[in-house]
Amino acid sequence: MTTAVASAPAATTRGAGTSTRSRRRSAVWVGLLPFLAYVVIFLAVPAVLAVASGFFDSTGVFTFANLKALTSPQILNQFLASFGVSLVTAVIGAVVGAIICFALMGTKPDGVLRTVVDSASSVLAQFGGVMLAFAFIALIGTQGLLTQTLVHAGWAQNPLNHFGNNGTLLYQVPGLVIPYLYFQVPLMVLTFMPAMEGLKATWGEANATLGGTRFTYWTRIAMPILAPAFFGSVILLFANSFSSYATAAALISQGGIIPLAIKQATSSETVIGIANVAGVLALGMVIVMVILMSAYGLLQRRAARWQR
Amino acid sequence: MKKRLLVGTAVLAVAAFALTACAGTAGSGSSASGISKADAAKATSATDFGGIDGLVAAANAEGQLNVITLPPSWANYGAIIAGFEKKYPKITINSANPDGSSADEVSAAKAQKGQDTAPDVFDIGTAVLQQNLDLVAPYKVANWADIPDDFKDAKGAWYYDYSGLMSIGYDSKVIKTAPKSIDDLLGSAYQGKVAIKGDPTQANEAASAVYLAALQSKGTADNIQPGIDFFSKLKKAGNFLAVTPTEATVVSGETPVVLQWSYNNLAWGAAGGTSGNPDYKTVILPGTALGSYYNQAINVDAPHPAAARLWEEYIYSPEAQNLYLAAGAYPATLQAMIAAKTVDQKTLTTVGEPPKDFVQLTAAQATTAGTLLSSKWAAAIG
């Protein structure tokens, strides 16, 4: 909040300058102020407080001792599980989403099908949390519709209720892939479709004029142009899945992934005094997210080059 | 002109934030009933209010009571809360975060300190309580003498309220023969069916399932490793179900076998009426039983100090203590109630008298067990 307030007089001084252009810019900055204040209060301050809490013990004394948690095998396993789920859902989501985009390219840009898929994707990409978990419990949980149909069809121990000798698939870390894909694929369609639409018809014509085939068009022109956008989307999907909490919390009761480890640390009534370890775990997640988002930013800049 | 409008909006927005941030602290002030809020917060018995009528008047003036982490189907809290509101119709109970943990109670008290929404009273596990004794205010209910001496802090900081016994609940439609020992759960009939109440490194009730397994497998309260080994075997047999059971999952058959406190297993069975599962039975294994008393305590910064104290008076009245008993939870004043014949005899016959002795982990034993769980549990069921 301090930063937001401090930036206001600065903007006004600049606005007092003579050129119309800078005056207009100052107005833009003032308009941004409520948003900036919002981001600082509800994003920056909580994030800093959460991470900072990792560097204090339960009595409020500064310490680095909590960092030891990052070397414990349980925590490392949970980070690995988080990476695994995120990677698998990002790659599958990106490939399936890209294929859907490719298929949609054959339809009219303002046709019914593309509009429907587009708006459905906007809705489904946000469909997560407990609702999503419940939908899948009803479908492939122990008593789920599909699970019970298989059982009644004579397949008493099917992959849905007997996965890896650990019981129901949905309640294990690998099982998270299924509900996660439900929001990952639509998100891919949303983020990748603009890049696909950015492919100009003239490039295909130029390729044909120069004697290229459809194959060379895709391998030599379209794919290299789409690559930054594609990998950027993969990163976005990875981050999306890495930071998901509510769906996993509703499905998995034993550890599993890092957001659940943070919950365990903050609310444990059996292992006392580890609430501040959550701050260190949050720090780990923030580092991962910063790396991912920087990479995403770089790839976006490359992708944008062809979308002007 | 336009610019000024934008500045105005921004100032308004910031002011609105500041106002909402302050609003929480503005709710204090003296009550109409003669005793000030500060005095009510220092009261250590109803005498400080000039007797129980004074306490009721002060609590009525406050008009609100904030309770936290009291699920309606847990130890009959639904009926207990309804009973309080019926007896004191001028006081509204705000029940926050019913499915939260003892640690959530502490963090709510710390985070909302000074606000109207902070919890007034705690129903809290011993291990968490012992780490946070600075958060509670001493108070002795009128029938303080009815609570056995080893069930309470001599100064009145905390007092046991009820205990269950760790039990096995099972859906008799799925499991035809009742389990007779903990090792029965390793059998093939229990394939993918045995659930506990969450992650033992997080939830006390889940950890207690591990402690029971330890006691039943030659372990002790000082050494719960055999319990962890048991669950490792359960996992290898493919019988462990990693779902946190609720009344709904028991009714739907999602979690056919649940290790949890007897009062919860009982409440989810036929005793739960239409919301329970009539085929759901409860077994307390022979051999060493495991119990665990929860503690009542009053938040030292309670926003409604008189109502908080009235709640404790109500909780230890035979009325509320019998409600605990009806859910299969043994209330702290049970022996005194049996002696004074205020116990609901019919309920006691149904529930059965508590075993003469059961193991309860001390705060130190619980801490040791928790440390062991945090290093061994994930690997055992991984």
Side-chain angles (χ1 to χ4, degrees):
Chain A
M1 199 154 120
T2 347
T3 21
V5 172
S7 74
T12 337
T13 343
R14 213 185 303 153
T18 40
S19 93
T20 358
R21 197 193 151 122
S22 69
R23 197 175 301 153
R24 213 171 276 157
R25 180 171 287 174
S26 80
V28 169
W29 272 103
V30 171
L32 205 58
L33 210 66
F35 174 71
L36 267 181
Y38 181 85
V39 168
V40 169
I41 294 171
F42 290 104
L43 191 76
V45 172
V48 169
L49 287 181
V51 169
S53 75
F55 293 93
F56 294 93
D57 66 11
S58 51
T59 57
V61 179
F62 185 84
T63 175
F64 284 113
N66 294 328
L67 284 172
K68 244 194 349 213
L70 289 177
T71 59
S72 102
Q74 289 90 6
I75 297 295
L76 287 179
N77 275 338
Q78 283 173 327
F79 263 111
L80 279 182
S82 266
F83 283 133
V85 170
S86 307
L87 191 67
V88 170
T89 60
V91 169
I92 299 180
V95 170
V96 174
I99 292 173
I100 293 175
C101 291
F102 179 68
L104 283 178
M105 288 306 287
T107 67
K108 267 191 253 142
D110 45 4
V112 178
L113 182 64
R114 207 189 281 192
T115 324
V116 167
V117 173
D118 204 42
S119 40
S121 296
S122 323
V123 175
L124 295 180
Q126 304 303 324
F127 187 69
V130 179
M131 290 180 304
L132 179 67
F134 177 74
F136 276 91
I137 291 172
L139 183 67
I140 59 171
T142 314
Q143 298 294 321
L145 189 68
L146 191 57
T147 319
Q148 284 304 309
T149 310
L150 291 181
V151 170
H152 288 299
W155 198 1
Q157 285 200 343
N158 54 62
L160 290 178
N161 66 13
H162 191 74
F163 184 80
N165 196 29
N166 281 335
T168 306
L169 170 65
L170 188 61
Y171 305 131
Q172 305 173 35
V173 172
L176 282 182
V177 169
I178 303 166
Y180 276 23
L181 281 178
Y182 198 83
F183 55 75
Q184 294 282 59
V185 171
L187 182 65
M188 180 66 184
V189 173
L190 278 186
T191 55
F192 196 56
M193 201 60 204
M196 284 288 252
E197 282 169 342
L199 290 177
K200 295 196 171 66
T202 45
W203 298 339
E205 287 156 13
N207 170 60
T209 323
L210 293 171
T213 59
R214 252 186 99 69
F215 181 75
T216 49
Y217 169 69
W218 278 105
T219 52
R220 311 287 282 272
I221 300 171
M223 279 188 176
I225 288 175
L226 290 176
F230 180 82
F231 290 114
S233 302
V234 170
I235 290 179
L236 189 71
L237 262 58
F238 186 97
N240 190 37
S241 155
F242 189 72
S243 57
S244 286
Y245 163 73
T247 312
L251 291 174
I252 294 189
S253 77
Q254 305 296 331
I257 57 174
I258 278 299
L260 298 184
I262 293 182
K263 172 196 172 198
Q264 188 264 333
T266 51
S267 71
S268 178
E269 46 187 18
T270 44
V271 190
I272 311 292
I274 55 163
N276 292 66
V277 169
V280 168
L281 300 181
L283 173 68
M285 286 192 76
V286 167
I287 292 173
V288 173
M289 290 303 262
V290 165
I291 295 173
L292 288 175
M293 286 300 113
S294 314
Y296 179 65
L298 284 176
L299 285 167
Q300 273 294 299
R301 212 179 302 160
R302 284 211 61 154
R305 192 188 297 170
W306 298 99
Q307 282 170 6
R308 274 176 214 141
Chain B
M1 189 62 210
K2 201 174 189 179
K3 191 162 86 184
R4 209 167 276 169
L5 194 72
L6 280 167
V7 175
T9 322
V11 169
L12 269 179
V14 171
F17 281 132
L19 278 176
T20 37
C22 296
T25 53
S28 48
S30 65
S31 62
S33 69
I35 182 163
S36 76
K37 188 182 166 183
D39 285 340
K42 285 193 202 101
T44 53
S45 75
T47 328
D48 294 343
F49 294 89
I52 195 84
D53 293 338
L55 174 58
V56 173
N60 279 343
E62 289 171 357
Q64 307 268 331
L65 173 70
N66 299 339
V67 300
I68 187 167
T69 67
L70 302 183
S73 70
W74 175 293
N76 228 357
Y77 266 120
I80 291 174
I81 289 173
F84 182 88
E85 287 189 315
K86 200 170 159 221
K87 195 168 177 184
Y88 306 106
K90 287 184 183 142
I91 303 171
T92 312
I93 291 188
N94 311 307
S95 178
N97 192 7
D99 292 327
S101 69
S102 293
D104 291 335
E105 297 179 43
V106 167
S107 50
K110 285 182 179 164
Q112 298 172 42
K113 186 175 174 171
Q115 295 181 29
D116 284 352
T117 52
D120 287 309
V121 285
F122 303 115
D123 178 29
I124 192 168
T126 301
V128 176
L129 172 73
Q130 292 300 328
Q131 298 278 325
N132 293 285
L133 287 171
D134 52 331
L135 284 182
V136 301
Y139 184 77
K140 292 181 180 176
V141 292
N143 55 339
W144 181 250
D146 287 351
I147 309 172
D149 283 344
D150 50 349
F151 280 25
K152 61 194 178 191
D153 173 53
K155 293 203 178 89
W158 51 265
Y159 14 95
Y160 287 169
D161 43 11
Y162 60 90
S163 169
L165 296 175
M166 251 302 137
S167 65
I168 302 174
Y170 66 100
D171 192 326
S172 57
K173 267 200 185 142
V174 182
I175 304 292
K176 305 290 182 197
T177 46
K180 289 184 188 60
S181 78
I182 194 97
D183 288 331
D184 284 0
L185 303 185
L186 298 169
S188 58
Y190 292 85
Q191 184 79 50
K193 293 190 176 64
V194 183
I196 57 175
K197 291 286 278 289
D199 182 344
T201 63
Q202 181 177 333
N204 185 44
E205 196 177 10
S208 298
V210 180
Y211 307 157
L212 175 72
L215 296 176
Q216 295 276 336
S217 320
K218 301 198 176 81
T220 64
D222 290 310
N223 172 26
I224 59 129
Q225 181 64 43
I228 299 177
D229 296 341
F230 171 81
F231 275 94
S232 179
K233 274 188 274 176
L234 193 71
K235 171 85 177 179
K236 285 204 184 78
N239 291 3
F240 184 69
L241 176 62
V243 180
T244 301
T246 62
E247 188 168 17
T249 63
V250 161
V251 172
S252 75
E254 197 81 9
T255 54
V257 180
V258 180
L259 280 107
Q260 63 173 345
W261 296 123
S262 46
Y263 45 81
N264 292 332
N265 267 334
L266 287 166
W268 296 357
T274 47
S275 62
N277 175 350
D279 300 313
Y280 193 68
K281 304 265 169 62
T282 305
V283 166
I284 290 165
L285 293 174
T288 320
L290 175 77
S292 171
Y293 276 97
Y294 276 84
N295 306 270
Q296 283 292 319
I298 295 171
N299 185 355
V300 69
D301 296 306
H304 313 104
R309 283 153 177 81
L310 183 61
W311 170 257
E312 299 303 352
E313 296 288 355
Y314 168 74
I315 284 293
Y316 288 89
S317 69
E319 186 186 347
Q321 297 271 301
N322 273 322
L323 285 172
Y324 281 134
L325 185 64
Y330 297 111
T333 66
L334 182 59
Q335 293 309 329
M337 288 205 302
I338 292 173
K341 300 207 163 50
T342 48
V343 69
D344 185 339
Q345 198 58 49
K346 218 176 107 195
T347 312
L348 185 62
T349 318
T350 323
V351 175
E353 285 198 40
K356 283 280 172 286
D357 58 304
F358 58 78
V359 172
Q360 178 175 225
L361 268 67
T362 64
Q365 284 168 333
T367 309
T368 316
T371 315
L372 190 68
L373 279 172
S374 73
S375 62
K376 296 279 175 65
W377 177 258
I381 55 116

